[in-house]
Amino acid sequence: DDASLLSPDDLCGRSLLALVAAGHAMAARIRTLSDRVPLPYWAASRLPGPRQSGPGGSNEARQQQQRQRSKSTSSGEVGGLFNLFGPSRKAGSEGAPEDKTGGDELSDARKYAPFLFDFNYLHNPEEYEASLLTRARDGPGEDRGKTAAGGGGGSNGGPAGLDLAQLEREFTVNQSKTVVEFYELFESVVGYHTDLSSFVDDLNRGYYIRHTVESVLSDEVGRRLVCEAVYLWGVLLITMEHYLPGPVRERLVISYHRMVGRDPSLGDISKIDSVVALCRSSAVRPPATAHRSSHKHPADEMRLFARFSLPSDFVRNVVGCLLSSDIYRRSTTAFPSIDHRSVALAGQASILYVVLYFDPHALREENAKMRSVVDRFFGDNWVVHVYGGLTADLGKEWGRYGAARAAMAGVLGEESVRVLHVGNAKLIGQCMAELRAYLTMGILTDGFVLDNRRDLLNCLRRCNIALRWRILHRRTADVALREIICAKQADGALTTDPKLEGDFAVSESHVISLLLLTSQLEMQLKDTFRQLLERRE
């Protein structure tokens, strides 16, 4: 039964639970450390810095960011404030994140670029070290291009007259702890794959006497944990590729390799081969500012996931389990209506989206399977939440795979999207009218809440469903579809409710209003039910 797998005496359950907990911890660690990458690594990679200044970033720069945000607020630029609802609609912006890195700060960071090498260094380290010594002795000269071609920084090379050896020593003293943290993170990610593969192998060879892959997947708790374990391995790869781009990862690893080579007490490079395989840049390089966005840009997932693959039979069993079972029964209980099926299965849809990258044959060739995936999970939505606020547009992500692209074609047609947009706009208008009626002073008495609790809860369900669809799909990467979903009123007038005719325009202010009214009703109902229960006791 469910309790047996998670009982303290069940080694299989304990191992699986520890694996999932470790995966969540590593995913959070990737996101946290991504904001702490030293600026010279971004400069050497020719990428803009993260949203927030890392260690060493000036307080002055942070204050300038705050003043800029305040200025946007006072001037009424709603799009800049609520990036959650999609890119700003200001002309020419295209939703590109603002460069938060001051020019002087970035220019200062470039002086470290000559000794921040990428993985080309590993092909001939002696030549790179000799070239660096030559530059340190003679100053920047004609050999700059040669070193830069190997990943040292190119035109961003070191300043004239500086002792590069001394500069590198200072950099190592200041950043060694941070570099070690990143390398330990990369090692732990590799270790997660090792542990997951070992767990699957143990199940297959009968190490857990009472359990096999099939028996764990037939158990309600077991299948949920197994699906999450595989999903988290994909999440680790995706989030690392998104928030720590390949050029930055490579330079962090080489920095650690060179630091430990000079001082072995700083760490251990026994697993360097696996870390290099994990951190190598992929063939598809995203836009320079992609790591600043909370919307995923298509990467080379096929090769990325193939670097540390999982047994194909095991993956196909997991995909089959996700297609045939509801692994989160509480979600389907919270949204019992058949019209809300895709919302009830949203968490499972996120898992399936990630796990399918471990089964590229299904994405490319299995038309029937992909049609069943779309019919069950993505019949009325195509922007999915991946993990921790990161979203992905299936129109772009699956556009490279024949079977997946064909299955999504019916959902992504402009006419189909317009139908979904109009239906959501009408639902938002209905919800706002109901919320204002319920939130009228004196309406939510104890007797009214008890007599109408079913209608009140159904109203909250509809509100959350309407909000979720609108917030996610304002972030679609397709310009034509975004024009439909983010349509503005022709006269430019600001209204309290969506325009339920013409383009059915729903503005950001309408979404904010619905969000606030929904939270107000939820809070009042929660307080009322709590007081009723306390009086009953």
Side-chain angles (χ1 to χ4, degrees), residues 5 39 57 61 205 254 297 316 330 365 371 453 481 507:
L5 189 67
L39 188 57
R205 65 186 178 88
I254 295 301
H297 189 275
R316 294 181 77 82
R330 290 184 180 179
E365 306 292 342
R371 280 197 301 271
R453 61 186 182 279
L481 302 186
S507 68

Side-chain angles (χ1 to χ4, degrees), residues 326 332 335 337-346 376:
D326 293 346
T332 54
F335 296 94
S337 173
I338 190 64
D339 295 331
H340 305 157
R341 187 68 175 170
S342 63
V343 178
L345 296 173
R376 188 174 191 214

Side-chain angles (χ1 to χ4, degrees), residues 88-195:
S88 172
R89 303 298 297 155
K90 291 177 66 178
S93 68
E94 294 297 329
E98 176 189 358
D99 190 354
K100 303 292 184 184
T101 304
D104 294 341
E105 192 179 0
L106 185 60
S107 177
D108 183 63
R110 288 190 179 119
K111 67 185 180 185
Y112 302 102
F115 51 79
L116 298 179
F117 301 112
D118 61 16
F119 281 172
N120 288 321
Y121 172 89
L122 297 173
H123 299 314
N124 197 340
E126 293 82 5
E127 180 180 348
Y128 279 79
E129 295 292 348
S131 177
L132 193 58
L133 289 174
T134 301
R135 294 188 63 181
R137 183 179 64 250
D138 301 336
E142 294 181 1
D143 61 336
R144 175 181 300 180
K146 179 179 179 181
T147 306
S155 60
N156 297 339
L162 274 181
D163 184 346
L164 285 181
Q166 177 63 24
L167 192 65
E168 185 173 9
R169 283 193 293 270
E170 293 175 358
F171 183 82
T172 300
V173 169
N174 293 329
Q175 304 296 345
S176 59
K177 184 177 179 181
T178 301
V179 172
V180 169
E181 279 187 297
F182 276 99
Y183 188 83
E184 289 176 347
L185 171 67
F186 299 147
E187 268 196 344
S188 66
V189 172
V190 172
Y192 182 90
H193 176 263
T194 302
D195 293 342

Side-chain angles (χ1 to χ4, degrees), residues 22-87:
H24 283 293
M26 287 178 208
R29 187 70 172 155
I30 289 172
R31 189 65 186 92
T32 302
L33 282 181
S34 67
D35 288 332
R36 296 174 51 198
V37 177
L39 188 57
Y41 288 97
W42 296 106
S45 305
R46 296 179 178 83
L47 294 171
R51 292 179 180 273
Q52 300 170 341
S53 298
S58 64
N59 290 328
E60 211 175 345
R62 296 187 185 96
Q63 292 170 2
Q64 186 177 2
Q65 295 172 23
Q66 292 172 357
R67 286 195 297 271
Q68 183 63 33
R69 284 193 288 266
S70 300
K71 182 178 178 182
S72 298
T73 306
S74 60
S75 62
E77 295 178 6
V78 180
L81 278 173
F82 304 111
N83 188 48
L84 175 67
F85 307 122

Side-chain angles (χ1 to χ4, degrees), residues 140-275:
E142 294 181 1
D143 61 336
R144 175 181 300 180
K146 179 179 179 181
T147 306
S155 60
N156 297 339
L162 274 181
D163 184 346
L164 285 181
Q166 177 63 24
L167 192 65
E168 185 173 9
R169 283 193 293 270
E170 293 175 358
F171 183 82
T172 300
V173 169
N174 293 329
Q175 304 296 345
S176 59
K177 184 177 179 181
T178 301
V179 172
V180 169
E181 279 187 297
F182 276 99
Y183 188 83
E184 289 176 347
L185 171 67
F186 299 147
E187 268 196 344
S188 66
V189 172
V190 172
Y192 182 90
H193 176 263
T194 302
D195 293 342
L196 178 57
S197 299
S198 297
F199 176 79
V200 176
D201 184 58
D202 289 343
L203 279 177
N204 285 328
R205 65 186 178 88
Y207 176 78
Y208 304 109
I209 297 174
R210 296 173 53 195
H211 300 290
T212 62
V213 172
E214 291 75 15
S215 68
V216 172
L217 288 177
S218 64
D219 181 275
E220 182 178 354
V221 174
R223 62 171 166 264
R224 183 162 65 242
L225 291 176
V226 167
C227 292
E228 286 187 7
V230 178
Y231 160 69
L232 285 168
W233 173 232
V235 164
L236 294 178
L237 295 175
I238 288 173
T239 54
M240 194 171 64
E241 184 71 14
H242 181 81
Y243 293 114
L244 296 171
V248 174
R249 296 196 306 270
E250 291 189 2
R251 285 166 171 81
L252 285 165
V253 172
I254 295 301
S255 290
Y256 181 86
H257 180 271
R258 296 179 70 231
M259 283 168 42
V260 173
R262 291 191 296 266
D263 183 2
S265 65
L266 288 175
D268 174 30
I269 56 173
S270 61
K271 298 180 180 177
I272 189 71
D273 291 340
S274 297
V275 172

